[in-house]
Amino acid sequence: MSIPMTMYLPIAGNSVNILAVLGLGGGVGLLSGIFGVGGGFLMTPLLMMMGIPPTVAAASDSNQIVGASTSGTLIHLRLGNVDVKMGLLLLIGGVVGGTLGVQLIKVLRAMGNADFLISITYVLMLGSVGSYMFIESITSMRKAKNPSQKPAAPKKPSGYARMMASLPFQMEFPRSGVRMSLIMPLFLGSLVGVLSAIMGVGGGFIMVPVMVYMLRMPMHVVVGTSLFQVLFTCLNVTIMQAWTNHTVDFVLALILLIGSALGAQIGARIGRKLQGDQLKVYLAGIVLIVMFKMLYELLARPNVLLAAIGGH
Amino acid sequence: MRRVLLLLTLCCLLAPASAFAAEDPALAVTPPAIRIGALYDGIDLTVTGKAPAGAQVAVRLSGEPDTFHMKQKGKALGVLWMNLDKVTFTGAPKVFLIAASDGLPEASLDHLGIPGLAERITAEAKSPDKAGLIKEFLHYQRAEKLYKDHAGTVTFGPEADGMRPFTAVLHVPSRLSPGAYAVEAFAVAGGTETALGEVDVAASFVGIPAFMANMAFNHGLLFGVLASIIAILGGFIIGQLCSGSKSGAH
């Protein structure tokens, strides 16, 4: 008697190999654990390569991220690494942005352009993040080889800092140790929310650099607050996608979650044994390979010159 | 009175047998219905029947004629391939699978198979090349594994009374959606195609897929809330089991 290894997913309208999905979740979770970044931005394109329709892959991945970020948020809350005030403002922005993103996907699905938008957004985001990580880690590795360089002289406040200070509704964020207008986290949260809905990612890999470089928050608070915000943003995206587009397959999400959680545990142990900058270069390489694959699909003549409108 | 009762009892006992003999189907399909359950991964339909000795046989499964709204891909900005003009195809089944015996003439396979299907499909589009669009539609359905020319095998049994029994096995893909389908068999001899019979086969969700599809498509909001709660509980339990880890995909 053989154990059945396939499972039918009625939302995706196809059957999948359970071990392959577990392996995919495990592989992305492994990378997530090794490199200390989210795996959502890799999960959706890999699901698409497995034959899951892009809209179902993106929505189900959001559902998976809800589970994955729950455990992380709880740990960081206990450690006091969550700026709840900042997180809530980012969250309000994220909910608005996520809702707009879901509506945008609905309109684009009706027009038949949703898959194209998801692909092009991925190419742009993967290209930007991959290139940034690659350059940043190479620079960091060079600096480590030449530690005798002089520190830069103090500069005048930049135009961005002056703009931040001039905005209305300024408030203190004691946990992060910053003061700024509430418009900033609301606006940036909305932006990440739109991308989150379109791409089916929690937005962590966009939100972390945004919080570090644009909101000037300390790194240890950034990670906890990012997880907190991502959890609720993806919660909203999951419910909206299920309600509006009927594209959430929670069985698929659950299998991915089990795989990614186990992979993340193994990855975290491997990650501790490797050097940080080298890891970043490897990850940047993976991200750029996925980006080039998707770019090729946009540039090369498709095998079939027709596409279905909608999906169900 | 006892004789009458005995006669009535005999009539009752013999009636189903005579009815069965009268119905003796020209074509039989096993299983008679496709149940798409949690472990469904496509299915082999076995079709049995009898054809005149010397005739070749083709067996096909097709859905009811449907309408497909699609987008034609073209180059945007002269560089990127994307969906452009809308195209509507009518008269095309969702699924079309055909299996034929080895000796079936190519012309008959074309007529009964996918090339012949092209004649029943119409396309509404801005493009004047309707035939090209229909050809592309058939290519699309082939790529989706929903249209297939050699979707199984047909084998023959020993000839008796001028007839040969045949058994066809059709490989039905996992992408089949719920609905009504028809299985037809044809005998081909001397260039003439004769219909041997038709059997209706219904495909439906059962068990978990039926429950999930009903929830997802008819109670979307509740489904989204439940999916979120299950994910949170799953994440919480996994987090507790793997306590001490700070990692979490985001």
Side-chain angles (χ1 to χ4, degrees):
Chain A
M1 185 183 159
S2 61
I3 300 167
M5 278 298 131
T6 53
M7 176 170 273
Y8 184 79
L9 303 171
I11 316 303
N14 207 349
S15 62
V16 290
N17 186 300
I18 299 169
L19 285 182
V21 178
L22 269 175
L24 172 62
V28 174
L30 189 78
L31 294 175
S32 176
I34 292 174
F35 299 113
V37 298
F41 64 104
L42 283 171
M43 192 82 90
T44 301
L46 290 173
L47 282 173
M48 284 153 63
M49 287 177 202
M50 277 183 72
I52 304 292
T55 43
V56 176
S60 305
D61 195 22
S62 286
N63 192 195
Q64 184 266 140
I65 294 164
V66 168
S69 55
T70 296
S71 58
T73 302
L74 287 173
I75 291 164
H76 283 281
L77 267 172
R78 283 188 208 126
L79 294 171
N81 289 345
V82 181
D83 187 335
V84 176
K85 194 171 169 184
M86 182 70 86
L88 284 174
L89 286 171
L90 288 167
L91 179 60
I92 293 166
V95 168
V96 173
T99 309
L100 286 174
V102 168
Q103 294 305 319
L104 184 66
I105 283 280
K106 193 180 178 185
V107 172
L108 288 163
R109 276 186 77 190
M111 292 166 63
N113 285 335
D115 297 350
F116 174 79
L117 184 78
I118 289 173
S119 298
I120 198 77
T121 311
Y122 256 104
V123 167
L124 292 173
M125 292 311 300
L126 293 181
S128 313
V129 172
S131 305
Y132 175 80
M133 281 173 64
F134 191 79
I135 293 164
E136 196 260 342
S137 49
I138 292 287
T139 310
S140 175
M141 283 164 82
R142 278 185 185 160
K143 275 184 186 171
K145 280 184 183 172
N146 303 305
S148 57
Q149 284 180 341
K150 288 178 184 176
K155 292 177 186 173
K156 284 195 297 182
S158 64
Y160 176 72
R162 287 200 300 277
M163 184 274 290
M164 287 259 286
S166 66
L167 288 171
F169 312 113
Q170 295 282 328
M171 60 166 61
E172 292 289 339
F173 295 89
R175 182 75 71 185
S176 301
V178 293
R179 178 181 168 76
M180 72 179 73
S181 165
L182 63 85
I183 292 170
M184 286 305 291
L186 282 176
F187 171 72
L188 293 169
S190 302
L191 201 65
V192 175
V194 171
L195 289 171
S196 179
I198 293 171
M199 298 168 67
V201 294
F205 78 107
I206 316 166
M207 187 53 84
V208 169
V210 161
M211 284 198 274
V212 172
Y213 298 110
M214 302 188 80
L215 299 178
R216 311 274 163 90
M217 292 164 65
M219 194 61 201
H220 67 282
V221 183
V222 164
V223 175
T225 311
S226 168
L227 275 172
F228 172 80
Q229 190 267 342
V230 159
L231 165 61
F232 289 98
T233 303
C234 278
L235 199 65
N236 173 59
V237 170
T238 299
I239 293 170
M240 290 303 293
Q241 290 280 25
W243 189 17
T244 317
N245 295 330
H246 314 292
T247 47
V248 174
D249 195 313
F250 94 86
V251 174
L252 175 65
L254 209 58
I255 302 170
L256 288 172
L257 175 62
I258 293 166
S260 69
L262 296 174
Q265 297 301 315
I266 301 165
R269 287 182 176 87
I270 297 170
R272 283 186 209 119
K273 294 175 184 171
L274 299 173
Q275 287 183 357
D277 286 330
Q278 284 175 328
L279 289 175
K280 277 190 195 170
V281 172
Y282 295 147
L283 179 65
I286 295 166
V287 169
L288 289 173
I289 287 169
V290 176
M291 186 275 287
F292 279 120
K293 200 255 174 201
M294 298 199 80
L295 188 63
Y296 173 77
E297 284 171 1
L298 285 172
L299 294 172
R301 188 184 189 277
N303 182 35
V304 184
L305 294 179
L306 287 172
I309 299 174
H312 294 284
Chain B
M1 186 63 190
R2 281 180 70 183
R3 277 185 183 173
V4 173
L5 279 171
L6 188 67
L7 201 63
L8 279 171
T9 311
L10 274 172
C11 284
C12 287
L13 286 169
L14 290 173
S18 60
F20 183 78
E23 279 176 9
D24 187 20
L27 213 59
V29 180
T30 313
I34 301 170
R35 295 158 63 84
I36 304 173
L39 303 177
Y40 177 78
D41 186 27
I43 193 170
D44 282 351
L45 282 183
T46 304
V47 185
T48 53
K50 283 180 182 172
Q56 298 297 321
V57 169
V59 175
R60 68 186 187 193
L61 177 140
S62 60
E64 288 173 354
D66 210 339
T67 301
F68 293 79
H69 300 287
M70 306 188 87
K71 286 274 183 175
Q72 191 179 359
K73 283 181 191 276
K75 273 193 171 180
L77 311 168
V79 184
L80 300 173
W81 284 93
M82 66 176 289
N83 301 332
L84 299 174
D85 298 327
K86 193 177 172 184
V87 191
T88 303
F89 297 96
T90 48
K94 277 184 185 170
V95 174
F96 190 88
L97 311 170
I98 184 162
S101 53
D102 290 340
L104 190 85
E106 201 65 33
S108 294
L109 185 60
D110 283 353
H111 184 241
L112 294 168
I114 297 171
L117 181 64
E119 293 164 15
R120 302 200 301 247
I121 300 173
T122 53
E124 279 179 53
K126 279 184 191 171
S127 168
D129 183 17
K130 304 286 193 291
L133 283 170
I134 291 168
K135 195 177 167 189
E136 198 61 38
F137 175 77
L138 297 177
H139 181 43
Y140 172 89
Q141 294 289 57
R142 277 195 184 104
E144 292 286 301
K145 296 175 184 170
L146 293 171
Y147 283 17
K148 201 168 180 186
D149 284 305
H150 301 282
T153 54
V154 179
T155 51
F156 292 104
E159 186 183 322
D161 301 329
M163 299 293 279
R164 272 200 306 180
F166 67 86
T167 302
V169 179
L170 279 173
H171 306 300
V172 179
S174 65
R175 297 267 332 255
L176 186 90
S177 50
Y181 298 90
V183 173
E184 301 162 280
F186 299 88
V188 179
T192 309
E193 294 148 11
T194 312
L196 293 174
E198 183 178 328
V199 175
D200 292 336
V201 176
S204 57
F205 285 147
V206 293
I208 295 170
F211 173 75
M212 291 251 307
N214 177 47
M215 286 291 288
F217 297 111
N218 300 324
H219 311 281
L221 180 60
L222 179 65
F223 184 73
V225 172
L226 285 175
S228 300
I229 291 170
I230 291 168
I232 289 171
L233 286 174
F236 183 77
I237 292 165
I238 290 167
Q240 292 298 314
L241 290 174
C242 307
S243 58
S245 167
K246 290 180 190 178
S247 60
H250 64 285

